[in-house]
């Protein structure tokens, strides 16, 4: 009877202490310990997780449970009077374990260390739904493994982030959190990552997400989508966040104007992206950028979101997709400048070429200024010579400024050893030679009076002005017709103004120190001037002369022929 009352008293003490453990934050916990590995496992019920259970409270519950068991063993030994060696060893083991766990519980929680290698992530599950299931296992090295199912919402204590998934695993000693199913990682006002699976390395501050990943930059609404994405959060030693997207991802970049209104997205694809601090975007490998009816391609890309400057590097090419305003720009490097969401400048470096229907420009550097996606001005300069080619005139100089109206050249200003070569009027002159005008500077003006929609007509030259050591050589149509050799008009002076009419030279004016020559083709001195001219269109009559009949062939016997050959004198 006394033994039965002692057991009842021991169980009462155990129940009382266990109740205290539940009040400490571990309601519904069950404990199991093995002799092989001194690890403690706590299974939390739905109500415990819903009540906001923390790993620290679980650790406190383990301490109280061990203390209760040691106390019950002690009471049982005193009650029964059996103080055997086994009982003493068991009591000593439990008391030692109780003391060590109590000391661990009394130690302050580890604070997040601000080291260059990062800090541990202590998961907080307070926001998890009531149906969440949790299995917490503490290891001998005072770390723990946590397994979560039934939906998980949490954050790392002391960090401004939020993590949710269908299930999760945390291995505290390795600093790894595995997330499965409908994974969402979010940093308020900065980034949101959604994926099918993710691994969060707490010490490195790195998130690796795979499976239909979409990363949204919350400040602008820009997105990155691809098979997998890595995100490096801000931490000591890493002042700015970094997002890495390999395996041919797609980026949709959204820019806002001065009023905060978002514009049309710019779509960029590449083999690999790196985004630094949501300010600098780098891309490598067959980069394709599509923006407002303009397509660009290159080997690599750098885009500064703050200054709105994009640079395409290696085999760069810009092409307009609007057929009515088509143009292309090629170069080793191309810079694109944007103001208030609109592309207003394109700058090509190193062997650049710009082309549209009526104009081709070649230079070391070409600077295009755009208005409403149309080329308004073009500058050509750099080492070497700049060249501009139109259907009627080719201009070459050290540098050029070209003004266009509705994509048609209206004015060309060539500076530095300028030369203009033009095709004479093909209806009046049949010649492979070209007219030429030289000067220190040349200003060429074109006729743009035809309707802009009439693309069938070519832009015609209207006037060319040469300044400084000017000279000109023009072909003048002959009275003998287009097939007759043209006359030559060569003049030189300080300034020369040449007027054109429907593409042919109409007037040449020379100012200051004028001199020159006018040359007409001389008649052919070998031609018979006394020969009677035939009527036009009638071919000449060639007289027929009878030829004599050839003599009849003679047949000689073979023996006679041999004799005659043998008798031929030596």
């Amino acid at each position: 009877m006394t033994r039965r009352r002692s057991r009842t008293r021991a169980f009462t003490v155990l129940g009382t202490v266990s109740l205290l453990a539940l009040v400490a934050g571990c309601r519904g916990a069950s404990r199991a310990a093995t002799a092989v590995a001194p690890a403690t496992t706590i299974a939390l019920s739905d109500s415990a997780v819903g009540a906001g259970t923390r790993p620290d409270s679980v650790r406190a519950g383990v301490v109280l449970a061990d203390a209760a068991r040691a106390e019950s063993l002690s009471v049982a030994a005193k009650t029964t009077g059996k103080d055997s060696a086994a009982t003493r060893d068991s009591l000593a083991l439990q008391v030692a374990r109780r003391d060590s766990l109590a000391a661990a519980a009394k130690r302050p929680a580890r604070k997040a260390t601000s080291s260059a290698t990062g800090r541990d992530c202590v998961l907080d599950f307070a926001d998890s739904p009531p149906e969440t299931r949790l299995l917490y296992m503490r290891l001998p090295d005072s770390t723990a493994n946590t397994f979560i199912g039934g939906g998980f919402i949490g954050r790392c204590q002391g960090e401004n982030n939020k993590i949710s998934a269908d299930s999760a695993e945390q291995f505290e000693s390795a600093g790894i959190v595995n997330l499965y199913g409908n994974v969402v990682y979010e940093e308020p006002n900065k980034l949101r990552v959604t994926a099918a699976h993710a691994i969060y390395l707490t010490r490195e501050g790195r998130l690796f997400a795979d499976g239909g990943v979409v990363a949204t930059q919350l400040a602008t609404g820009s997105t990155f989508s691809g098979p997998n994405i890595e995100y490096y959060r801000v931490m000591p030693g890493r002042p700015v966040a970094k997002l890495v997207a390999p395996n041919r991802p797609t980026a949709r970049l959204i820019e806002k104007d001065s009023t905060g209104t978002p514009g049309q997205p710019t779509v960029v694809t590449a083999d690999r992206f790196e985004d630094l601090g949501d300010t600098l975007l780098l891309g490598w490998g067959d980069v394709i950028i599509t923006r407002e009816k303009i397509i660009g391609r290159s080997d690599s890309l750098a885009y500064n979101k703050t200054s709105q400057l994009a640079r395409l590097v290696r085999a760069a090419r810009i092409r307009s997709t609007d057929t009515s305003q088509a143009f292309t720009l090629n170069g080793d490097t191309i810079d694109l400048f944007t103001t208030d969401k609109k592309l207003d400048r394109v700058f090509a470096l190193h062997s650049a070429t710009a082309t549209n229907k009526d104009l081709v420009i070649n230079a070391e550097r070409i600077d295009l200024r755009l208005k409403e996606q149309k080329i308004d001005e073009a500058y050509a300069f750099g080492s070497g010579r700049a060249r501009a080619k139109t259907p009627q005139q080719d201009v070459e100089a050290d540098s050029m400024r070209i003004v266009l109206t509705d994509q048609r050249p209206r004015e060309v200003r060539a500076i530095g050893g300028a030369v203009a070569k033009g095709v004479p009027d093909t209806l009046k002159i049949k010649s492979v030679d070209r007219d030429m005008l030289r000067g220190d500077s040349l200003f060429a003006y074109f006729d743009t009076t035809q309707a802009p929609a009439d693309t069938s007509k070519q832009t015609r030259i209207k006037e060319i002005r040469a300044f400084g050591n000017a000279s000109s050589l023009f072909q003048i149509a002959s009275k003998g017709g287009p097939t007759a050799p043209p006359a030559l008009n060569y003049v030189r002076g300080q300034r020369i103004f040449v007027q054109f009419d429907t593409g042919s030279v109409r007037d040449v004016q020379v100012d200051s120190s004028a001199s020159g020559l006018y040359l007409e083709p001389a008649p052919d001195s070998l031609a018979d001037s006394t020969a009677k001219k035939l009527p036009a269109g009638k071919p000449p009559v060639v007289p027929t002369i009878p030829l004599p009949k050839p003599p009849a062939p003679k047949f000689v016997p073979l023996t006679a022929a041999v004799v005659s050959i043998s008798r031929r004198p030596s």
Side-chain angles (χ1 to χ4, degrees):
M1 184 69 178
T2 303
R3 181 179 304 177
R4 185 173 303 172
R5 288 180 180 177
S6 299
R7 291 180 180 177
T8 304
R9 185 181 307 166
F11 291 142
T12 303
V13 173
L14 178 60
T16 303
V17 177
S18 300
L19 180 60
L20 294 176
L22 293 177
V23 173
C26 190
R27 296 193 303 272
S30 61
R31 177 178 171 276
T34 63
V36 178
T40 303
T41 303
I42 300 295
L44 298 183
S45 65
D46 298 343
S47 61
V49 177
T53 303
R54 306 289 198 278
D56 293 339
S57 63
V58 173
R59 187 177 292 112
V62 172
V63 172
L64 293 175
D66 287 340
R69 183 176 180 183
E71 186 68 20
S72 64
L73 290 175
S74 177
V75 171
K78 292 179 181 179
T79 303
T80 58
K82 295 182 178 180
D83 192 9
S84 62
T87 304
R88 288 196 302 270
D89 293 342
S90 178
L91 284 173
L93 178 62
Q94 294 297 333
V95 170
R97 189 175 184 200
R98 178 195 62 187
D99 295 340
S100 62
L101 291 176
K106 291 179 181 179
R107 285 197 300 266
R110 276 188 302 179
K111 295 183 179 179
T113 58
S114 298
S115 63
T117 58
R119 58 187 179 185
D120 292 340
C121 173
V122 179
L123 286 178
D124 185 346
F125 316 122
D127 298 330
S128 294
E131 59 271 15
T132 299
R133 300 180 303 277
L134 184 145
L135 180 64
Y136 180 85
M137 178 180 292
R138 194 163 58 84
L139 303 177
D141 58 356
S142 298
T143 62
N145 295 340
T146 307
F147 304 91
I148 309 170
F152 157 68
I153 299 176
R155 59 171 48 87
C156 294
Q157 292 182 1
E159 299 180 9
N160 190 21
N161 61 0
K162 181 180 179 181
I163 307 172
S164 65
D166 292 343
S167 58
E169 301 172 339
Q170 182 189 26
F171 302 94
E172 186 179 358
S173 60
I176 296 176
V177 178
N178 292 324
L179 305 168
Y180 303 95
N182 298 315
V183 178
V184 178
Y185 175 90
E186 182 174 349
E187 294 182 4
N189 301 322
K190 291 183 61 177
L191 181 77
R192 181 192 300 115
V193 179
T194 61
H197 170 259
I199 300 175
Y200 184 44
L201 306 178
T202 59
R203 295 192 180 95
E204 301 178 20
R206 178 162 67 101
L207 176 74
F208 178 83
D210 61 333
V213 186
V214 177
T216 304
Q217 295 171 336
L218 302 178
T220 59
S222 300
T223 62
F224 294 85
S225 58
N228 53 285
I229 286 178
E230 290 183 73
Y231 175 68
Y232 299 78
R233 51 182 291 272
V234 176
M235 59 187 307
R238 189 186 300 141
V240 296
K242 182 173 73 171
L243 186 147
V244 179
N247 300 323
R248 199 69 186 169
T250 299
R252 295 175 62 87
L253 307 178
I254 298 178
E255 298 174 351
K256 297 181 179 180
D257 58 15
S258 56
T259 62
T261 304
Q264 293 295 325
T266 299
V267 181
V268 186
T269 57
D271 292 344
R272 177 185 175 89
F273 282 127
E274 285 192 14
D275 187 88
L276 305 177
D278 197 12
T279 57
L280 180 62
L281 174 65
L282 305 175
W284 294 274
D286 191 19
V287 178
I288 302 176
I289 177 171
T290 304
R291 175 196 178 110
E292 298 179 11
K293 299 182 180 180
I294 291 179
I295 297 178
R297 301 194 70 159
S298 66
D299 180 71
S300 58
L301 163 73
Y303 176 55
N304 189 316
K305 302 178 185 178
T306 303
S307 62
Q308 299 183 8
L309 168 64
R311 168 166 287 189
L312 305 178
V313 182
R314 294 193 188 93
R317 175 184 174 89
I318 296 292
R319 178 175 61 87
S320 173
T321 58
D322 190 348
T323 56
S324 63
Q325 305 169 4
F327 74 89
T328 60
L329 179 64
N330 298 318
D332 182 73
T333 302
I334 295 180
D335 292 340
L336 296 92
F337 299 83
T338 304
T339 303
D340 288 339
K341 304 182 302 179
K342 294 184 179 180
L343 183 66
D344 55 7
R345 183 185 176 191
V346 181
F347 185 40
L349 305 171
H350 312 308
S351 303
T353 301
T355 306
N356 74 352
K357 181 178 180 298
D358 295 320
L359 179 65
V360 178
I361 306 174
N362 293 279
E364 177 66 15
R365 301 185 177 189
I366 296 179
D367 190 352
L368 302 181
R369 307 299 175 90
L370 284 72
K371 286 186 179 180
E372 303 298 333
Q373 304 301 310
K374 297 180 182 179
I375 302 177
D376 185 65
E377 287 183 290
Y379 298 87
F381 55 96
S383 60
R385 302 278 282 174
R387 297 174 176 85
K389 183 177 181 180
T390 67
Q392 291 184 319
Q393 293 289 328
D394 294 347
V395 182
E396 179 180 330
D398 293 340
S399 60
M400 293 184 195
R401 175 178 179 262
I402 304 168
V403 182
L404 297 93
T405 300
D406 294 319
Q407 300 288 90
R408 297 174 182 270
R410 176 169 57 89
E411 178 181 337
V412 176
R413 296 192 176 190
I415 309 298
V419 179
K421 298 179 181 180
V423 179
D425 188 356
T426 56
L427 297 178
K428 298 179 180 179
I429 301 175
K430 301 294 184 182
S431 174
V432 295
D433 298 325
R434 288 195 155 201
D435 298 338
M436 186 178 300
L437 181 63
R438 296 177 180 269
D440 294 340
S441 302
L442 287 179
F443 292 179
Y445 301 91
F446 295 84
D447 183 12
T448 58
T449 57
Q450 64 259 30
D454 188 2
T455 59
S456 61
K457 295 182 179 180
Q458 295 180 347
T459 303
R460 293 183 178 273
I461 185 70
K462 183 170 62 175
E463 181 182 4
I464 299 181
R465 300 176 182 178
F467 301 92
N469 299 318
S471 64
S472 67
L473 177 63
F474 290 96
Q475 302 176 73
I476 307 300
S478 174
K479 296 180 181 179
T483 58
L488 299 179
N489 182 17
Y490 173 77
V491 296
R492 62 185 181 182
Q494 287 299 316
R495 291 181 294 272
I496 298 177
F497 299 159
V498 182
Q499 305 289 334
F500 293 84
D501 184 11
T502 63
S504 60
V505 177
R506 185 186 66 186
D507 186 23
V508 178
Q509 298 179 6
V510 183
D511 184 16
S512 300
S513 304
S515 62
L517 296 172
Y518 180 82
L519 304 176
E520 289 187 349
D524 189 358
S525 59
L526 299 179
D528 187 2
S529 59
T530 60
K532 184 178 180 181
K533 295 184 179 180
L534 298 174
K538 187 175 181 181
V541 179
V542 181
T544 58
I545 302 175
L547 298 177
K549 294 183 179 181
K554 296 181 180 181
F555 298 95
V556 180
L558 181 59
T559 55
V562 174
V563 172
S564 62
I565 292 175
S566 61
R567 292 180 180 179
R568 183 173 299 174
S570 58

